[in-house]
Amino acid sequence: MALVTTGFDAVTAELKRMRAAQAPTIAKAIDDAAKFGSQLAVDEIFNKYGFKSKSYVDQHFSVSINPKTLTASISARMRASTLTRFSSPRYKVGRRSARVAAGFSVNVIRHQPVWFSGAFTVIGRNGNQLMFSRKTGDNAWRDLKGQKALYGPSVAGSFGFMREALEPPIIAHLRKKYGQYAK
């Protein structure tokens, strides 16, 4: 943040003195607002999307604060999440009253489940659990060559979708904290 005036040396010196005096207050307010914004984003994403745990969303957020430039940035992981993060198994009653797997109920948007009747999971190369789906009448489900694993939204994609809705509360929090620290 550069302050430049020409021809008014005393005004320039006073502006620089005011900025130097207010910089720690602004830096503390930005620090609090960035942490608040990160936590607000985690809460809102967890409430809107069907991630099973809030800690998964939280661990893929990062906050970086630069006190020299008085800026903060909140970023999230861009990698798509496997659908197993949003799913729970479904069962039906088979012969002799036994429970039989009947696919997965996938809940990408919270409280809006979609039933994938031909879905199944396998362990991938990296040890992660991947979900695939077969169509009705497709009996070649053991051959996964050419099939793509099913993925849901990434944490960053969810964050990008909600960013405009999160700005007003973060700005209000920033103003409130700055008002508290400036006294």
Side-chain angles (χ1 to χ4, degrees):
M1 208 157 96
L3 298 171
V4 179
T5 57
T6 55
F8 298 104
D9 294 335
V11 173
T12 302
E14 181 62 18
L15 286 173
K16 287 183 180 179
R17 185 198 63 77
M18 289 170 57
R19 183 186 185 281
Q22 290 300 318
T25 303
I26 294 170
K28 284 198 298 189
I30 288 173
D31 182 49
D32 283 351
K35 290 175 183 172
F36 171 79
S38 175
Q39 191 57 47
L40 179 67
V42 168
D43 292 342
E44 290 296 319
I45 288 171
F46 181 74
N47 290 338
K48 180 169 174 76
Y49 295 95
F51 289 102
K52 288 183 182 176
S53 69
K54 195 180 278 190
S55 64
Y56 174 78
V57 178
D58 191 30
Q59 77 185 21
H60 292 303
F61 265 91
S62 64
V63 177
S64 63
I65 300 164
N66 188 345
K68 288 185 178 183
T69 60
L70 298 176
T71 58
S73 67
I74 302 170
S75 57
R77 180 178 173 220
M78 293 292 288
R79 204 176 208 182
S81 303
T82 180
L83 272 187
T84 56
R85 295 260 177 227
F86 307 97
S87 67
S88 56
R90 296 265 311 247
Y91 299 97
K92 64 182 179 181
V93 178
R95 284 187 253 169
R96 297 187 193 114
S97 301
R99 266 182 15 159
V100 178
F104 286 87
S105 179
V106 178
N107 209 2
V108 174
I109 303 293
R110 197 166 297 285
H111 306 301
Q112 294 181 8
V114 176
W115 181 22
F116 284 69
S117 61
F120 59 96
T121 60
V122 296
I123 303 298
R125 289 183 184 158
N126 297 332
N128 54 344
Q129 197 170 18
L130 301 173
M131 184 179 287
F132 290 89
S133 181
R134 62 179 176 265
K135 308 273 189 269
T136 305
D138 182 8
N139 294 329
W141 61 273
R142 292 181 191 261
D143 184 24
L144 296 177
K145 291 182 181 171
Q147 289 190 20
K148 300 283 185 197
L150 303 175
Y151 288 95
S154 67
V155 176
S158 306
F159 180 52
F161 183 74
M162 323 186 99
R163 191 174 311 151
E164 290 179 12
L166 297 175
E167 283 179 355
I170 294 171
I171 291 170
H173 186 78
L174 176 65
R175 288 179 178 159
K176 178 181 141 192
K177 287 298 180 181
Y178 177 71
Q180 288 175 355
Y181 294 139
K183 290 181 182 178

